[in-house]
Amino acid sequence: MGTSQVYVYAIVHAGRGLPPEARGVGRPPASVRLLPVGELAAVVSDVPEDLRARRRDLMAHQDLLIRLGADAPVLPMRFGMVAEDTRTVAEAVEAAAATHLAALERLRDRTEMNLKVSPAQCGIESLVRADAELRRMLTDVRRRPSYEGNVRLGQAVADGLTRRATQAVEEALPRLTALADGFVRGPEVPGCVLNGSFLVPAAASERFRAEVERTAAAHADQVELRLTGPLPCYSFVPQDGAEPAPPARARAEHAMTGS
């Protein structure tokens, strides 16, 4: 096996092909190849000389993963995963082969859908109508305008919108999770009451989208919903042993922070 560094995109079953004219990160886009490791294979390419988290490369990384996952399960790597050489990749994949195979089986015929939910700003009027305390605060501010009064009123309105949006989300979640084989809450996103990812079977994807649309329509004055997908199943891959050795992680983080 070679000694030059390699960029790692994903882990897949051995014996599968790559999408036609598959290309990776870099300019010009790197040629992508399979690195067989027993029953598995790593999808890799050479490392661009100036690897950075540029939009074009982030999109190239994700687009390749989406194409790979169109007809077979894929364990995606995060952007910027670089290993010292192919031997390092092969050893890491082989060491966690059982975990990888189990994860690939779980992801078969499934995709990740991400849902972000934020309070609907158009709901302020209905919020005030339904909240006697807000109506009192609004009357006080109009009678005795002050900076402090406006700040308190603004915070109370923001809290009320967030509270109603959270209630709407908690009501809708059981219906959405019933259509999925997995659900995880992601990192907090400013302005959002939910950043959640769902592992959705292909057979239920249209019903899942329809339920999101129904929820958006039924709670239009409470929440704004943004559904993204299909996505690579980042949120549902094993956290231990799913990626190359720690030196590769450190190098990837260096590449990301250098952008």
Side-chain angles (χ1 to χ4, degrees), residues 191-229:
C192 290
V193 299
L194 175 69
N195 171 28
S197 291
F198 299 80
L199 185 63
V200 181
S205 60
E206 291 306 314
R207 282 185 293 157
F208 186 87
R209 287 184 182 277
E211 183 57 37
V212 170
E213 292 172 359
R214 193 202 70 77
T215 299
H219 300 280
D221 65 340
Q222 296 173 284
V223 292
E224 296 175 359
L225 282 68
R226 185 167 81 252
L227 183 65
T228 307

PDB file of all heavy atoms in Angstrom, residues 191-229:
ATOM      1  N   GLY A 191     -32.025  30.588  17.321  1.00  0.00           N
ATOM      2  CA  GLY A 191     -33.320  30.903  16.745  1.00  0.00           C
ATOM      3  C   GLY A 191     -34.216  29.709  16.516  1.00  0.00           C
ATOM      4  O   GLY A 191     -35.376  29.873  16.119  1.00  0.00           O
ATOM      5  N   CYS A 192     -33.703  28.511  16.749  1.00  0.00           N
ATOM      6  CA  CYS A 192     -34.496  27.298  16.519  1.00  0.00           C
ATOM      7  C   CYS A 192     -34.879  26.647  17.845  1.00  0.00           C
ATOM      8  O   CYS A 192     -34.096  26.648  18.803  1.00  0.00           O
ATOM      9  CB  CYS A 192     -33.724  26.286  15.680  1.00  0.00           C
ATOM     10  SG  CYS A 192     -33.496  26.778  13.953  1.00  0.00           S
ATOM     11  N   VAL A 193     -36.081  26.079  17.884  1.00  0.00           N
ATOM     12  CA  VAL A 193     -36.503  25.299  19.049  1.00  0.00           C
ATOM     13  C   VAL A 193     -36.227  23.815  18.829  1.00  0.00           C
ATOM     14  O   VAL A 193     -36.308  23.031  19.772  1.00  0.00           O
ATOM     15  CB  VAL A 193     -37.994  25.527  19.369  1.00  0.00           C
ATOM     16  CG1 VAL A 193     -38.248  26.984  19.699  1.00  0.00           C
ATOM     17  CG2 VAL A 193     -38.884  25.072  18.219  1.00  0.00           C
ATOM     18  N   LEU A 194     -35.909  23.432  17.602  1.00  0.00           N
ATOM     19  CA  LEU A 194     -35.562  22.041  17.320  1.00  0.00           C
ATOM     20  C   LEU A 194     -34.611  21.994  16.133  1.00  0.00           C
ATOM     21  O   LEU A 194     -34.823  22.649  15.114  1.00  0.00           O
ATOM     22  CB  LEU A 194     -36.801  21.208  16.989  1.00  0.00           C
ATOM     23  CG  LEU A 194     -36.520  19.751  16.561  1.00  0.00           C
ATOM     24  CD1 LEU A 194     -36.009  18.931  17.744  1.00  0.00           C
ATOM     25  CD2 LEU A 194     -37.746  19.085  15.954  1.00  0.00           C
ATOM     26  N   ASN A 195     -33.553  21.212  16.301  1.00  0.00           N
ATOM     27  CA  ASN A 195     -32.684  20.813  15.199  1.00  0.00           C
ATOM     28  C   ASN A 195     -32.586  19.304  15.324  1.00  0.00           C
ATOM     29  O   ASN A 195     -31.814  18.783  16.126  1.00  0.00           O
ATOM     30  CB  ASN A 195     -31.310  21.466  15.311  1.00  0.00           C
ATOM     31  CG  ASN A 195     -30.317  20.918  14.309  1.00  0.00           C
ATOM     32  OD1 ASN A 195     -30.695  20.463  13.227  1.00  0.00           O
ATOM     33  ND2 ASN A 195     -29.040  20.931  14.667  1.00  0.00           N
ATOM     34  N   GLY A 196     -33.415  18.586  14.566  1.00  0.00           N
ATOM     35  CA  GLY A 196     -33.507  17.141  14.730  1.00  0.00           C
ATOM     36  C   GLY A 196     -33.286  16.404  13.429  1.00  0.00           C
ATOM     37  O   GLY A 196     -33.642  16.897  12.351  1.00  0.00           O
ATOM     38  N   SER A 197     -32.687  15.240  13.520  1.00  0.00           N
ATOM     39  CA  SER A 197     -32.460  14.391  12.356  1.00  0.00           C
ATOM     40  C   SER A 197     -33.219  13.086  12.515  1.00  0.00           C
ATOM     41  O   SER A 197     -33.235  12.492  13.598  1.00  0.00           O
ATOM     42  CB  SER A 197     -30.966  14.114  12.163  1.00  0.00           C
ATOM     43  OG  SER A 197     -30.288  15.291  11.760  1.00  0.00           O
ATOM     44  N   PHE A 198     -33.830  12.643  11.423  1.00  0.00           N
ATOM     45  CA  PHE A 198     -34.648  11.436  11.401  1.00  0.00           C
ATOM     46  C   PHE A 198     -34.052  10.446  10.411  1.00  0.00           C
ATOM     47  O   PHE A 198     -33.638  10.832   9.308  1.00  0.00           O
ATOM     48  CB  PHE A 198     -36.080  11.776  10.967  1.00  0.00           C
ATOM     49  CG  PHE A 198     -36.793  12.742  11.871  1.00  0.00           C
ATOM     50  CD1 PHE A 198     -36.557  14.109  11.772  1.00  0.00           C
ATOM     51  CD2 PHE A 198     -37.715  12.296  12.808  1.00  0.00           C
ATOM     52  CE1 PHE A 198     -37.219  15.017  12.595  1.00  0.00           C
ATOM     53  CE2 PHE A 198     -38.380  13.195  13.633  1.00  0.00           C
ATOM     54  CZ  PHE A 198     -38.126  14.556  13.528  1.00  0.00           C
ATOM     55  N   LEU A 199     -34.016   9.182  10.799  1.00  0.00           N
ATOM     56  CA  LEU A 199     -33.598   8.108   9.899  1.00  0.00           C
ATOM     57  C   LEU A 199     -34.867   7.544   9.269  1.00  0.00           C
ATOM     58  O   LEU A 199     -35.627   6.807   9.910  1.00  0.00           O
ATOM     59  CB  LEU A 199     -32.847   7.023  10.672  1.00  0.00           C
ATOM     60  CG  LEU A 199     -32.254   5.890   9.836  1.00  0.00           C
ATOM     61  CD1 LEU A 199     -31.190   6.425   8.882  1.00  0.00           C
ATOM     62  CD2 LEU A 199     -31.654   4.817  10.743  1.00  0.00           C
ATOM     63  N   VAL A 200     -35.101   7.909   8.017  1.00  0.00           N
ATOM     64  CA  VAL A 200     -36.393   7.637   7.375  1.00  0.00           C
ATOM     65  C   VAL A 200     -36.252   6.529   6.338  1.00  0.00           C
ATOM     66  O   VAL A 200     -35.418   6.639   5.421  1.00  0.00           O
ATOM     67  CB  VAL A 200     -36.937   8.914   6.704  1.00  0.00           C
ATOM     68  CG1 VAL A 200     -38.293   8.642   6.064  1.00  0.00           C
ATOM     69  CG2 VAL A 200     -37.046  10.049   7.723  1.00  0.00           C
ATOM     70  N   PRO A 201     -37.052   5.462   6.432  1.00  0.00           N
ATOM     71  CA  PRO A 201     -37.053   4.438   5.383  1.00  0.00           C
ATOM     72  C   PRO A 201     -37.484   5.035   4.048  1.00  0.00           C
ATOM     73  O   PRO A 201     -38.352   5.914   4.004  1.00  0.00           O
ATOM     74  CB  PRO A 201     -38.075   3.412   5.885  1.00  0.00           C
ATOM     75  CG  PRO A 201     -38.179   3.655   7.355  1.00  0.00           C
ATOM     76  CD  PRO A 201     -37.963   5.123   7.539  1.00  0.00           C
ATOM     77  N   ALA A 202     -36.885   4.565   2.976  1.00  0.00           N
ATOM     78  CA  ALA A 202     -37.235   5.083   1.651  1.00  0.00           C
ATOM     79  C   ALA A 202     -38.730   4.947   1.392  1.00  0.00           C
ATOM     80  O   ALA A 202     -39.351   5.836   0.790  1.00  0.00           O
ATOM     81  CB  ALA A 202     -36.430   4.343   0.580  1.00  0.00           C
ATOM     82  N   ALA A 203     -39.326   3.854   1.871  1.00  0.00           N
ATOM     83  CA  ALA A 203     -40.750   3.620   1.626  1.00  0.00           C
ATOM     84  C   ALA A 203     -41.638   4.622   2.341  1.00  0.00           C
ATOM     85  O   ALA A 203     -42.806   4.795   1.978  1.00  0.00           O
ATOM     86  CB  ALA A 203     -41.117   2.199   2.062  1.00  0.00           C
ATOM     87  N   ALA A 204     -41.110   5.305   3.356  1.00  0.00           N
ATOM     88  CA  ALA A 204     -41.925   6.243   4.128  1.00  0.00           C
ATOM     89  C   ALA A 204     -41.555   7.705   3.863  1.00  0.00           C
ATOM     90  O   ALA A 204     -42.108   8.604   4.504  1.00  0.00           O
ATOM     91  CB  ALA A 204     -41.778   5.955   5.625  1.00  0.00           C
ATOM     92  N   SER A 205     -40.650   7.947   2.927  1.00  0.00           N
ATOM     93  CA  SER A 205     -40.140   9.305   2.743  1.00  0.00           C
ATOM     94  C   SER A 205     -41.226  10.283   2.317  1.00  0.00           C
ATOM     95  O   SER A 205     -41.272  11.421   2.803  1.00  0.00           O
ATOM     96  CB  SER A 205     -38.988   9.316   1.733  1.00  0.00           C
ATOM     97  OG  SER A 205     -39.421   8.842   0.475  1.00  0.00           O
ATOM     98  N   GLU A 206     -42.108   9.866   1.415  1.00  0.00           N
ATOM     99  CA  GLU A 206     -43.163  10.778   0.971  1.00  0.00           C
ATOM    100  C   GLU A 206     -44.162  11.041   2.085  1.00  0.00           C
ATOM    101  O   GLU A 206     -44.642  12.171   2.252  1.00  0.00           O
ATOM    102  CB  GLU A 206     -43.853  10.218  -0.270  1.00  0.00           C
ATOM    103  CG  GLU A 206     -42.977  10.222  -1.510  1.00  0.00           C
ATOM    104  CD  GLU A 206     -42.405  11.595  -1.805  1.00  0.00           C
ATOM    105  OE1 GLU A 206     -43.163  12.587  -1.749  1.00  0.00           O
ATOM    106  OE2 GLU A 206     -41.180  11.688  -2.063  1.00  0.00           O
ATOM    107  N   ARG A 207     -44.484  10.010   2.858  1.00  0.00           N
ATOM    108  CA  ARG A 207     -45.397  10.217   3.998  1.00  0.00           C
ATOM    109  C   ARG A 207     -44.761  11.133   5.036  1.00  0.00           C
ATOM    110  O   ARG A 207     -45.448  11.961   5.651  1.00  0.00           O
ATOM    111  CB  ARG A 207     -45.760   8.870   4.629  1.00  0.00           C
ATOM    112  CG  ARG A 207     -46.814   8.084   3.838  1.00  0.00           C
ATOM    113  CD  ARG A 207     -47.193   6.827   4.596  1.00  0.00           C
ATOM    114  NE  ARG A 207     -46.083   5.878   4.656  1.00  0.00           N
ATOM    115  CZ  ARG A 207     -45.940   4.941   5.568  1.00  0.00           C
ATOM    116  NH1 ARG A 207     -46.808   4.829   6.555  1.00  0.00           N
ATOM    117  NH2 ARG A 207     -44.911   4.108   5.526  1.00  0.00           N
ATOM    118  N   PHE A 208     -43.449  11.007   5.220  1.00  0.00           N
ATOM    119  CA  PHE A 208     -42.752  11.862   6.174  1.00  0.00           C
ATOM    120  C   PHE A 208     -42.819  13.315   5.721  1.00  0.00           C
ATOM    121  O   PHE A 208     -43.145  14.219   6.515  1.00  0.00           O
ATOM    122  CB  PHE A 208     -41.305  11.409   6.321  1.00  0.00           C
ATOM    123  CG  PHE A 208     -40.543  12.144   7.396  1.00  0.00           C
ATOM    124  CD1 PHE A 208     -40.583  11.712   8.707  1.00  0.00           C
ATOM    125  CD2 PHE A 208     -39.799  13.271   7.085  1.00  0.00           C
ATOM    126  CE1 PHE A 208     -39.889  12.390   9.706  1.00  0.00           C
ATOM    127  CE2 PHE A 208     -39.112  13.953   8.071  1.00  0.00           C
ATOM    128  CZ  PHE A 208     -39.153  13.511   9.376  1.00  0.00           C
ATOM    129  N   ARG A 209     -42.537  13.564   4.452  1.00  0.00           N
ATOM    130  CA  ARG A 209     -42.617  14.931   3.926  1.00  0.00           C
ATOM    131  C   ARG A 209     -44.029  15.480   4.058  1.00  0.00           C
ATOM    132  O   ARG A 209     -44.223  16.645   4.425  1.00  0.00           O
ATOM    133  CB  ARG A 209     -42.191  14.954   2.456  1.00  0.00           C
ATOM    134  CG  ARG A 209     -40.705  14.782   2.222  1.00  0.00           C
ATOM    135  CD  ARG A 209     -40.360  14.905   0.753  1.00  0.00           C
ATOM    136  NE  ARG A 209     -38.954  14.698   0.529  1.00  0.00           N
ATOM    137  CZ  ARG A 209     -38.015  15.633   0.676  1.00  0.00           C
ATOM    138  NH1 ARG A 209     -38.380  16.852   1.054  1.00  0.00           N
ATOM    139  NH2 ARG A 209     -36.742  15.369   0.437  1.00  0.00           N
ATOM    140  N   ALA A 210     -45.007  14.646   3.774  1.00  0.00           N
ATOM    141  CA  ALA A 210     -46.398  15.088   3.858  1.00  0.00           C
ATOM    142  C   ALA A 210     -46.769  15.442   5.294  1.00  0.00           C
ATOM    143  O   ALA A 210     -47.508  16.411   5.529  1.00  0.00           O
ATOM    144  CB  ALA A 210     -47.323  13.999   3.317  1.00  0.00           C
ATOM    145  N   GLU A 211     -46.264  14.694   6.263  1.00  0.00           N
ATOM    146  CA  GLU A 211     -46.565  14.985   7.668  1.00  0.00           C
ATOM    147  C   GLU A 211     -45.911  16.297   8.095  1.00  0.00           C
ATOM    148  O   GLU A 211     -46.506  17.074   8.863  1.00  0.00           O
ATOM    149  CB  GLU A 211     -46.092  13.841   8.553  1.00  0.00           C
ATOM    150  CG  GLU A 211     -46.421  14.012  10.034  1.00  0.00           C
ATOM    151  CD  GLU A 211     -47.903  14.194  10.301  1.00  0.00           C
ATOM    152  OE1 GLU A 211     -48.724  13.554   9.618  1.00  0.00           O
ATOM    153  OE2 GLU A 211     -48.246  14.984  11.204  1.00  0.00           O
ATOM    154  N   VAL A 212     -44.701  16.554   7.622  1.00  0.00           N
ATOM    155  CA  VAL A 212     -44.049  17.829   7.916  1.00  0.00           C
ATOM    156  C   VAL A 212     -44.861  18.976   7.324  1.00  0.00           C
ATOM    157  O   VAL A 212     -45.085  20.008   7.981  1.00  0.00           O
ATOM    158  CB  VAL A 212     -42.608  17.847   7.367  1.00  0.00           C
ATOM    159  CG1 VAL A 212     -42.011  19.252   7.463  1.00  0.00           C
ATOM    160  CG2 VAL A 212     -41.730  16.860   8.134  1.00  0.00           C
ATOM    161  N   GLU A 213     -45.320  18.821   6.090  1.00  0.00           N
ATOM    162  CA  GLU A 213     -46.124  19.865   5.450  1.00  0.00           C
ATOM    163  C   GLU A 213     -47.449  20.060   6.182  1.00  0.00           C
ATOM    164  O   GLU A 213     -47.920  21.191   6.336  1.00  0.00           O
ATOM    165  CB  GLU A 213     -46.377  19.500   3.987  1.00  0.00           C
ATOM    166  CG  GLU A 213     -45.106  19.539   3.134  1.00  0.00           C
ATOM    167  CD  GLU A 213     -45.323  18.998   1.741  1.00  0.00           C
ATOM    168  OE1 GLU A 213     -46.480  18.563   1.434  1.00  0.00           O
ATOM    169  OE2 GLU A 213     -44.366  18.979   0.946  1.00  0.00           O
ATOM    170  N   ARG A 214     -48.052  18.959   6.639  1.00  0.00           N
ATOM    171  CA  ARG A 214     -49.311  19.075   7.380  1.00  0.00           C
ATOM    172  C   ARG A 214     -49.090  19.832   8.686  1.00  0.00           C
ATOM    173  O   ARG A 214     -49.908  20.687   9.067  1.00  0.00           O
ATOM    174  CB  ARG A 214     -49.866  17.677   7.673  1.00  0.00           C
ATOM    175  CG  ARG A 214     -51.315  17.679   8.151  1.00  0.00           C
ATOM    176  CD  ARG A 214     -51.653  16.415   8.917  1.00  0.00           C
ATOM    177  NE  ARG A 214     -50.972  16.399  10.209  1.00  0.00           N
ATOM    178  CZ  ARG A 214     -51.359  17.111  11.260  1.00  0.00           C
ATOM    179  NH1 ARG A 214     -52.418  17.908  11.199  1.00  0.00           N
ATOM    180  NH2 ARG A 214     -50.681  17.041  12.398  1.00  0.00           N
ATOM    181  N   THR A 215     -47.992  19.525   9.358  1.00  0.00           N
ATOM    182  CA  THR A 215     -47.676  20.212  10.609  1.00  0.00           C
ATOM    183  C   THR A 215     -47.447  21.702  10.373  1.00  0.00           C
ATOM    184  O   THR A 215     -47.924  22.545  11.134  1.00  0.00           O
ATOM    185  CB  THR A 215     -46.429  19.590  11.257  1.00  0.00           C
ATOM    186  OG1 THR A 215     -46.691  18.214  11.552  1.00  0.00           O
ATOM    187  CG2 THR A 215     -46.042  20.314  12.531  1.00  0.00           C
ATOM    188  N   ALA A 216     -46.728  22.022   9.310  1.00  0.00           N
ATOM    189  CA  ALA A 216     -46.459  23.431   8.995  1.00  0.00           C
ATOM    190  C   ALA A 216     -47.747  24.186   8.733  1.00  0.00           C
ATOM    191  O   ALA A 216     -47.921  25.334   9.165  1.00  0.00           O
ATOM    192  CB  ALA A 216     -45.527  23.528   7.792  1.00  0.00           C
ATOM    193  N   ALA A 217     -48.683  23.553   8.015  1.00  0.00           N
ATOM    194  CA  ALA A 217     -49.958  24.206   7.706  1.00  0.00           C
ATOM    195  C   ALA A 217     -50.834  24.339   8.947  1.00  0.00           C
ATOM    196  O   ALA A 217     -51.475  25.374   9.160  1.00  0.00           O
ATOM    197  CB  ALA A 217     -50.687  23.416   6.624  1.00  0.00           C
ATOM    198  N   ALA A 218     -50.857  23.309   9.780  1.00  0.00           N
ATOM    199  CA  ALA A 218     -51.720  23.320  10.955  1.00  0.00           C
ATOM    200  C   ALA A 218     -51.238  24.303  12.022  1.00  0.00           C
ATOM    201  O   ALA A 218     -52.041  24.787  12.830  1.00  0.00           O
ATOM    202  CB  ALA A 218     -51.809  21.913  11.547  1.00  0.00           C
ATOM    203  N   HIS A 219     -49.943  24.600  12.030  1.00  0.00           N
ATOM    204  CA  HIS A 219     -49.379  25.480  13.065  1.00  0.00           C
ATOM    205  C   HIS A 219     -48.656  26.659  12.421  1.00  0.00           C
ATOM    206  O   HIS A 219     -47.596  27.086  12.899  1.00  0.00           O
ATOM    207  CB  HIS A 219     -48.415  24.692  13.953  1.00  0.00           C
ATOM    208  CG  HIS A 219     -49.044  23.530  14.657  1.00  0.00           C
ATOM    209  ND1 HIS A 219     -49.795  23.670  15.807  1.00  0.00           N
ATOM    210  CD2 HIS A 219     -49.042  22.201  14.365  1.00  0.00           C
ATOM    211  CE1 HIS A 219     -50.219  22.479  16.196  1.00  0.00           C
ATOM    212  NE2 HIS A 219     -49.781  21.575  15.339  1.00  0.00           N
ATOM    213  N   ALA A 220     -49.234  27.196  11.355  1.00  0.00           N
ATOM    214  CA  ALA A 220     -48.555  28.242  10.585  1.00  0.00           C
ATOM    215  C   ALA A 220     -48.276  29.485  11.408  1.00  0.00           C
ATOM    216  O   ALA A 220     -47.314  30.215  11.123  1.00  0.00           O
ATOM    217  CB  ALA A 220     -49.389  28.597   9.354  1.00  0.00           C
ATOM    218  N   ASP A 221     -49.098  29.768  12.422  1.00  0.00           N
ATOM    219  CA  ASP A 221     -48.868  30.959  13.239  1.00  0.00           C
ATOM    220  C   ASP A 221     -48.003  30.654  14.465  1.00  0.00           C
ATOM    221  O   ASP A 221     -47.808  31.524  15.322  1.00  0.00           O
ATOM    222  CB  ASP A 221     -50.198  31.572  13.684  1.00  0.00           C
ATOM    223  CG  ASP A 221     -50.983  30.649  14.610  1.00  0.00           C
ATOM    224  OD1 ASP A 221     -50.702  29.430  14.611  1.00  0.00           O
ATOM    225  OD2 ASP A 221     -51.878  31.144  15.329  1.00  0.00           O
ATOM    226  N   GLN A 222     -47.476  29.421  14.551  1.00  0.00           N
ATOM    227  CA  GLN A 222     -46.643  29.037  15.686  1.00  0.00           C
ATOM    228  C   GLN A 222     -45.219  28.657  15.286  1.00  0.00           C
ATOM    229  O   GLN A 222     -44.273  28.962  16.015  1.00  0.00           O
ATOM    230  CB  GLN A 222     -47.281  27.860  16.432  1.00  0.00           C
ATOM    231  CG  GLN A 222     -48.626  28.187  17.073  1.00  0.00           C
ATOM    232  CD  GLN A 222     -49.267  26.941  17.649  1.00  0.00           C
ATOM    233  OE1 GLN A 222     -49.807  26.104  16.932  1.00  0.00           O
ATOM    234  NE2 GLN A 222     -49.189  26.817  18.968  1.00  0.00           N
ATOM    235  N   VAL A 223     -45.070  27.973  14.150  1.00  0.00           N
ATOM    236  CA  VAL A 223     -43.745  27.469  13.778  1.00  0.00           C
ATOM    237  C   VAL A 223     -43.454  27.682  12.290  1.00  0.00           C
ATOM    238  O   VAL A 223     -44.362  27.747  11.463  1.00  0.00           O
ATOM    239  CB  VAL A 223     -43.609  25.957  14.087  1.00  0.00           C
ATOM    240  CG1 VAL A 223     -43.601  25.696  15.577  1.00  0.00           C
ATOM    241  CG2 VAL A 223     -44.704  25.149  13.392  1.00  0.00           C
ATOM    242  N   GLU A 224     -42.172  27.802  12.010  1.00  0.00           N
ATOM    243  CA  GLU A 224     -41.661  27.742  10.646  1.00  0.00           C
ATOM    244  C   GLU A 224     -40.760  26.517  10.559  1.00  0.00           C
ATOM    245  O   GLU A 224     -39.854  26.358  11.384  1.00  0.00           O
ATOM    246  CB  GLU A 224     -40.887  29.012  10.302  1.00  0.00           C
ATOM    247  CG  GLU A 224     -41.755  30.262  10.300  1.00  0.00           C
ATOM    248  CD  GLU A 224     -40.955  31.531  10.066  1.00  0.00           C
ATOM    249  OE1 GLU A 224     -39.711  31.424   9.922  1.00  0.00           O
ATOM    250  OE2 GLU A 224     -41.564  32.616  10.042  1.00  0.00           O
ATOM    251  N   LEU A 225     -41.019  25.647   9.597  1.00  0.00           N
ATOM    252  CA  LEU A 225     -40.292  24.393   9.475  1.00  0.00           C
ATOM    253  C   LEU A 225     -39.430  24.408   8.216  1.00  0.00           C
ATOM    254  O   LEU A 225     -39.872  24.854   7.159  1.00  0.00           O
ATOM    255  CB  LEU A 225     -41.261  23.205   9.408  1.00  0.00           C
ATOM    256  CG  LEU A 225     -41.887  22.722  10.725  1.00  0.00           C
ATOM    257  CD1 LEU A 225     -42.850  23.745  11.287  1.00  0.00           C
ATOM    258  CD2 LEU A 225     -42.611  21.394  10.514  1.00  0.00           C
ATOM    259  N   ARG A 226     -38.203  23.906   8.359  1.00  0.00           N
ATOM    260  CA  ARG A 226     -37.312  23.757   7.216  1.00  0.00           C
ATOM    261  C   ARG A 226     -36.794  22.325   7.182  1.00  0.00           C
ATOM    262  O   ARG A 226     -36.022  21.906   8.052  1.00  0.00           O
ATOM    263  CB  ARG A 226     -36.157  24.750   7.289  1.00  0.00           C
ATOM    264  CG  ARG A 226     -35.268  24.706   6.048  1.00  0.00           C
ATOM    265  CD  ARG A 226     -34.331  25.898   5.982  1.00  0.00           C
ATOM    266  NE  ARG A 226     -33.157  25.736   6.820  1.00  0.00           N
ATOM    267  CZ  ARG A 226     -32.949  26.387   7.946  1.00  0.00           C
ATOM    268  NH1 ARG A 226     -33.846  27.251   8.404  1.00  0.00           N
ATOM    269  NH2 ARG A 226     -31.834  26.197   8.641  1.00  0.00           N
ATOM    270  N   LEU A 227     -37.235  21.580   6.187  1.00  0.00           N
ATOM    271  CA  LEU A 227     -36.851  20.172   6.038  1.00  0.00           C
ATOM    272  C   LEU A 227     -35.776  20.059   4.963  1.00  0.00           C
ATOM    273  O   LEU A 227     -35.941  20.564   3.854  1.00  0.00           O
ATOM    274  CB  LEU A 227     -38.072  19.329   5.656  1.00  0.00           C
ATOM    275  CG  LEU A 227     -37.842  17.821   5.531  1.00  0.00           C
ATOM    276  CD1 LEU A 227     -37.478  17.210   6.873  1.00  0.00           C
ATOM    277  CD2 LEU A 227     -39.083  17.136   4.955  1.00  0.00           C
ATOM    278  N   THR A 228     -34.676  19.384   5.303  1.00  0.00           N
ATOM    279  CA  THR A 228     -33.564  19.194   4.371  1.00  0.00           C
ATOM    280  C   THR A 228     -33.271  17.709   4.227  1.00  0.00           C
ATOM    281  O   THR A 228     -33.140  16.997   5.215  1.00  0.00           O
ATOM    282  CB  THR A 228     -32.300  19.912   4.867  1.00  0.00           C
ATOM    283  OG1 THR A 228     -32.603  21.284   5.154  1.00  0.00           O
ATOM    284  CG2 THR A 228     -31.201  19.860   3.823  1.00  0.00           C
ATOM    285  N   GLY A 229     -33.163  17.262   2.989  1.00  0.00           N
ATOM    286  CA  GLY A 229     -32.855  15.859   2.737  1.00  0.00           C
ATOM    287  C   GLY A 229     -33.373  15.425   1.376  1.00  0.00           C
ATOM    288  O   GLY A 229     -34.099  16.175   0.724  1.00  0.00           O
TER     289      GLY A 229
END
